[in-house]
C-alpha cells in the first residue's frame, strides 16, 4: 500500500523501494488543481544530514515523470543510505507548505512500490503601491503577506507567506503565493523611509490588524492595485517598572518589547530596563499592544529565546491612546515546565525530533528545543502563551501530530499554557484513515490520481490508485474533506484515453475513524 506524506497545504505520496534499489524509481509531478502532469519540473534527490549532497537531479518528461535509471544517474547501490530528501520545483508553481524548505524526507523501505507522486500548486501574486496620507509614494517600505489559516478562523500572527521592499516609486510585488486568503501589511524600515512614519499599516488604509481587508487569491491569479495608504496615527507613551530582576542582570537589565496585538508580530519598539527596573517608550502609534519582558538578554536581541541561565518572563496587554502616558507594572517569573510524551516509534523519538514554536504572544523566531528525559521530552521553563509543536526533520515519517493536554485534544498541534502550573502533553500521529476504490463503468481506471483536501484549507495530500483501483490515506486529522479521483478514461471502442475526468465526494472524519469510500461513475458527464 502506498505511504502518504503531506504538508499543510501541499501534496506528496512517496512510494520507494529499498535503500539499495533506487534505480528504476519513477517520480511523477502533477498540477494539484487539475491532476495534469507537469513537464519540465526539476526533481532533486539528496542525502540528509548536516552536509547535503545532491545525488540525483533530472527534469520530468512530457508525462510529468522523472525516472532514476541504472546508468550512474541514480545513487550508488552501495551508498547504504536509507533516508533522502526529495524536492520538485517548476516556474509558476509552488509547494506552498514547503516553500523555501529543505524538502521532504524520503524513507526508503525495502519491498515498497517504486513510485513517487508530488502535486504542486499554481502560484499566485499580489502587487500594488504604498503611499503616505498625501498620496506620495514611499520607497524602502517593507511589505508582507500574512496567510489565513483555519485555527479559530484567525490569521496566524507572525507567519509570513512572502515579503518585499517597495522601489523608488513605492511599488511592490509579492509572488510565489499559495492560493488562499491574505492580509497585506506595510512597515517603514531602512534609512530611506521618513522617521515620522512608525507602526504598521494594512491594506487598504487600516492601522489595526482587525480592520485590514482580506484578499483572496485563486490558483495562478494576480491581484493588481492592492494599494496601501500609510496614515499617521495619534502618538502616546508607555512607562513602567519590571520587578523580580536577578542581581546578576543589573548591568543589562531585562529586555522589553512592544508588539502589536494581532498581525505582524514584530516589535514597534524594543528597549531594556534601567538598573532599578524602570523603562520608558515614547512616540507609540495609538493601538492595542502586548508588552513583553524577559531575560537574561540574548546577543541576538528578541530574535532568539534566552539561552544563558534560567529564563524569566512577563507579559501584559496594554492600550496606548494618543496624547497620553500609560503606566504598567510587570513581575518576572519562571515559565512552567512542559513535558511531552512521543509515539512509541524509534523514528519519532528524541529531543531533536520535536520543537515548540510560539504562536502568540512571543516571537515566531523563538524555536524552543527540549531535552530528552525518561519517556519523553522536557522544556524546563516555557513562558505562558500558545505554542505549535513541529517535527522539522521527521514530520513526513511521524505525520502531523495531534496534541492532548489537560484531557482535551487539539485539532492541530497547538498547546496553550496559561499559568505557572506544569503542563503535560501527549504527542501522537492522527489515527484516522480514508481508504477505498475508484471505479469507472465498473472497472478500475488507468493511472488515477487521488487528492484529499481539507475544507478548512490546512491540509492536502495526494496518492495514486493501484492497478485494482485501491487507495488509502493514513494519519488523517479529524475534519471535513473533499476527495477527488482524476484520470483519463479509455475512449469508446479505443485504447486511446478520453478527456480528463473527475469524481468528487465530501466526507467528515471523526478522530480515529477508519472511513471507507467508493468513488464510482458510469457516465462520461463529469459530475
Amino acid at each position: 500500500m502506498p505511504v502518504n506524506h503531506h504538508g499543510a497545504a501541499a501534496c506528496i505520496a512517496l512510494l520507494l523501494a529499498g535503500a539499495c534499489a533506487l534505480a528504476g524509481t519513477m517520480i511523477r509531478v502533477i498540477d494539484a488543481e487539475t491532476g495534469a502532469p507537469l513537464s519540465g519540473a526539476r526533481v532533486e534527490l539528496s542525502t540528509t544530514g548536516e552536509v547535503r549532497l545532491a545525488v540525483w537531479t533530472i527534469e520530468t518528461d512530457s508525462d510529468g515523470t522523472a525516472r532514476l535509471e541504472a546508468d550512474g544517474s541514480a545513487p550508488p547501490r552501495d551508498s547504504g543510505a536509507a533516508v533522502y530528501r526529495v524536492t520538485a520545483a517548476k516556474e509558476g508553481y509552488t509547494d506552498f507548505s514547503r516553500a523555501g524548505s529543505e524538502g521532504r524526507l524520503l524513507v526508503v523501505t525495502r519491498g515498497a512500490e517504486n513510485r513517487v507522486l508530488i502535486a504542486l500548486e499554481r502560484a499566485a501574486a499580489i502587487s500594488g503601491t504604498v503611499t503616505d496620507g498625501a498620496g506620495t509614494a514611499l520607497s524602502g517600505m517593507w511589505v508582507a503577506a500574512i496567510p489565513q489559516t483555519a485555527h479559530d478562523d484567525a490569521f496566524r500572527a507572525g507567519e509570513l507567506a512572502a515579503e518585499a521592499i517597495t522601489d523608488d516609486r513605492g511599488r511592490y510585488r509579492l509572488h510565489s503565493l499559495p492560493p488562499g486568503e491574505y492580509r497585506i501589511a506595510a512597515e517603514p524600515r531602512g534609512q530611506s523611509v521618513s522617521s515620522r512614519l512608525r507602526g504598521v499599516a494594512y491594506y487598504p488604509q487600516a492601522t489595526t490588524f482587525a480592520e485590514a481587508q482580506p484578499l483572496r487569491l485563486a490558483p495562478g491569479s494576480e491581484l493588481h492595485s492592492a494599494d496601501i495608504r500609510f496614515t499617521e496615527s495619534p502618538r502616546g507613551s508607555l512607562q513602567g517598572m519590571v520587578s523580580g530582576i536577578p542581581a546578576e542582570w543589573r548591568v543589562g537589565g531585562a529586555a522589553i518589547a512592544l508588539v502589536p496585538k494581532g498581525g505582524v508580530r514584530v516589535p514597534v519598539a524594543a528597549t531594556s530596563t534601567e538598573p532599578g527596573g524602570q523603562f520608558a517608550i515614547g512616540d507609540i502609534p495609538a493601538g492595542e499592544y502586548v508588552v513583553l519582558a524577559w531575560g537574561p538578554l540574548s546577543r541576538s536581541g528578541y530574535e532568539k529565546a534566552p539561552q544563558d541561565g534560567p529564563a524569566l518572563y512577563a507579559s501584559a496587554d496594554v492600550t496606548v491612546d494618543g496624547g497620553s502616558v500609560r503606566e504598567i507594572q510587570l513581575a518576572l517569573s519562571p515559565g512552567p515546565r512542559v513535558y511531552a510524551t512521543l509515539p512509541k516509534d524509534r523514528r519519532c523519538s528524541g529531543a531533536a525530533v520535536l520543537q515548540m514554536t510560539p504562536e502568540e504572544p512571543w516571537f515566531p523566531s523563538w524555536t524552543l528545543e527540549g531535552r530528552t528525559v525518561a519517556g519523553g521530552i522536557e522544556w524546563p521553563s516555557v513562558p505562558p502563551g500558545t505554542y505549535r509543536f513541529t517535527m522539522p526533520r521527521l514530520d513526513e515519517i511521524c505525520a502531523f501530530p495531534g496534541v492532548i493536554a489537560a484531557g482535551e485534544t487539539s485539532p492541530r498541534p497547538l498547546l496553550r499554557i496559561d499559568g505557572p502550573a506544569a503542563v503535560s502533553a501527549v504527542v501522537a500521529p492522527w489515527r484516522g484513515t480514508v481508504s477505498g476504490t475508484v471505479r469507472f463503468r465498473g472497472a478500475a481506471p488507468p493511472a488515477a490520481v487521488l487528492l484529499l483536501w481539507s475544507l478548512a484549507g490546512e491540509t492536502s495530500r495526494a496518492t495514486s490508485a493501484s492497478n485494482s483501483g485501491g487507495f488509502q490515506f493514513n494519519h488523517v486529522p479529524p475534519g471535513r474533506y473533499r476527495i477527488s479521483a482524476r484520470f483519463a478514461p479509455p475512449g469508446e471502442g479505443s485504447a486511446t484515453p478520453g478527456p480528463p475526468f473527475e469524481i468528487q465526494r465530501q466526507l467528515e472524519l471523526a478522530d480515529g475513524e477508519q472511513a471507507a469510500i467508493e468513488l464510482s461513475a458510469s457516465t462520461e458527464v463529469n459530475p
Side-chain angles (χ1 to χ4, degrees):
M1 180 63 64
V3 179
N4 295 292
H5 304 265
H6 58 280
C11 317
I12 184 171
L14 303 173
L15 321 171
L16 286 186
C20 298
L22 287 174
T25 294
M26 292 197 309
I27 301 174
R28 193 159 187 256
V29 184
I30 64 170
D31 184 307
E33 184 184 17
T34 66
L38 295 179
S39 62
R42 179 184 175 89
V43 177
E44 180 178 288
L45 196 69
S46 61
T47 59
T48 59
E50 296 297 327
V51 179
R52 291 182 60 202
L53 299 177
V55 294
W56 183 78
T57 303
I58 196 170
E59 288 190 354
T60 55
D61 59 20
S62 59
D63 191 40
T65 303
R67 295 174 173 82
L68 281 78
E69 305 297 346
D71 59 1
S73 61
R77 297 182 63 85
D78 59 354
S79 66
V83 180
Y84 297 89
R85 291 192 183 275
V86 62
T87 60
K90 181 177 174 63
E91 185 175 355
Y93 284 82
T94 179
D95 187 352
F96 56 82
S97 70
R98 298 287 171 170
S101 76
E102 296 181 349
R104 293 171 173 76
L105 286 176
L106 176 67
V107 182
V108 178
T109 305
R110 196 175 296 276
E113 292 183 72
N114 240 10
R115 299 169 60 195
V116 177
L117 176 65
I118 302 176
L120 302 180
E121 286 283 347
R122 286 190 296 147
I126 299 173
S127 59
T129 303
V130 181
T131 61
D132 63 14
T136 303
L138 296 174
S139 64
M141 295 288 289
W142 173 81
V143 183
I146 308 173
Q148 168 81 59
T149 67
H151 175 55
D152 292 335
D153 295 323
F155 282 75
R156 266 179 72 183
E159 180 177 298
L160 307 178
E163 303 173 66
I165 301 295
T166 57
D167 62 18
D168 57 355
R169 287 188 282 180
R171 298 179 304 184
Y172 73 90
R173 186 172 185 268
L174 303 168
H175 58 86
S176 300
L177 291 168
E181 195 167 288
Y182 298 87
R183 283 182 169 95
I184 310 301
E187 182 185 32
R189 293 187 182 182
Q191 298 180 350
S192 62
V193 181
S194 172
S195 60
R196 64 184 170 82
L197 298 175
R198 193 169 184 179
V200 181
Y202 298 92
Y203 172 81
Q205 191 176 341
T207 57
T208 65
F209 185 74
E211 296 171 342
Q213 179 179 325
L215 296 172
R216 177 164 290 280
L217 294 176
S221 66
E222 176 159 358
L223 293 180
H224 302 280
S225 301
D227 301 331
I228 303 172
R229 176 159 290 192
F230 201 105
T231 57
E232 296 183 66
S233 58
R235 305 300 174 93
S237 299
L238 178 69
Q239 62 185 32
M241 172 76 71
V242 177
S243 60
I245 301 177
E248 57 268 28
W249 293 11
R250 291 297 180 184
V251 175
I256 302 290
L258 187 65
V259 182
K261 195 169 184 180
V264 180
R265 223 177 332 149
V266 175
V268 169
T271 186
S272 58
T273 58
E274 299 292 335
Q278 306 91 341
F279 71 92
I281 303 173
D283 199 29
I284 305 169
E288 302 287 331
Y289 296 92
V290 180
V291 184
L292 303 174
W294 73 95
L297 287 171
S298 168
R299 294 180 181 178
S300 303
Y302 68 84
E303 293 292 338
K304 289 188 178 180
Q307 297 174 336
D308 300 326
L312 301 176
Y313 310 92
S315 66
D317 294 347
V318 62
T319 300
V320 175
D321 298 318
S324 66
V325 178
R326 181 67 187 270
E327 299 274 350
I328 191 168
Q329 304 290 321
L330 297 168
L332 294 175
S333 63
R337 170 185 177 268
V338 174
Y339 173 78
T341 58
L342 291 173
K344 294 181 179 179
D345 186 328
R346 61 181 178 82
R347 299 172 301 174
C348 304
S349 62
V353 172
L354 189 66
Q355 294 180 347
M356 289 178 65
T357 302
E359 287 279 297
E360 56 85 23
W362 303 90
F363 308 110
S365 57
W366 281 24
T367 298
L368 307 179
E369 294 192 14
R371 63 191 184 193
T372 303
V373 295
I377 299 175
E378 177 189 65
W379 292 264
S381 178
V382 178
T386 302
Y387 294 84
R388 177 174 291 262
F389 283 103
T390 59
M391 294 182 174
R393 303 178 192 176
L394 294 176
D395 50 354
E396 287 81 25
I397 301 173
C398 303
F400 274 128
V403 176
I404 302 174
E408 295 185 4
T409 302
S410 169
R412 284 161 193 85
L414 297 176
L415 178 66
R416 177 71 191 176
I417 300 173
D418 292 316
V423 177
S424 295
V426 177
V427 181
W430 295 115
R431 299 169 297 164
T433 64
V434 177
S435 61
T437 56
V438 182
R439 289 287 183 270
F440 182 75
R441 293 179 176 171
V449 173
L450 278 297
L451 297 169
L452 183 68
W453 295 92
S454 166
L455 297 183
E458 283 226 335
T459 338
S460 57
R461 310 189 198 178
T463 189
S464 54
S466 65
N467 291 337
S468 60
F471 66 89
Q472 181 164 326
F473 294 94
N474 297 315
H475 302 303
V476 182
R480 297 176 63 237
Y481 293 87
R482 173 169 59 88
I483 186 170
S484 70
R486 298 169 181 173
F487 52 88
E492 285 287 350
S494 171
T496 303
F501 192 87
E502 180 176 16
I503 306 171
Q504 287 191 17
R505 297 289 186 272
Q506 288 192 10
L507 70 148
E508 185 165 353
L509 192 71
D511 186 17
E513 182 180 354
Q514 316 295 306
I517 186 170
E518 180 172 319
L519 299 171
S520 61
S522 58
T523 174
E524 289 285 0
V525 178
N526 217 333

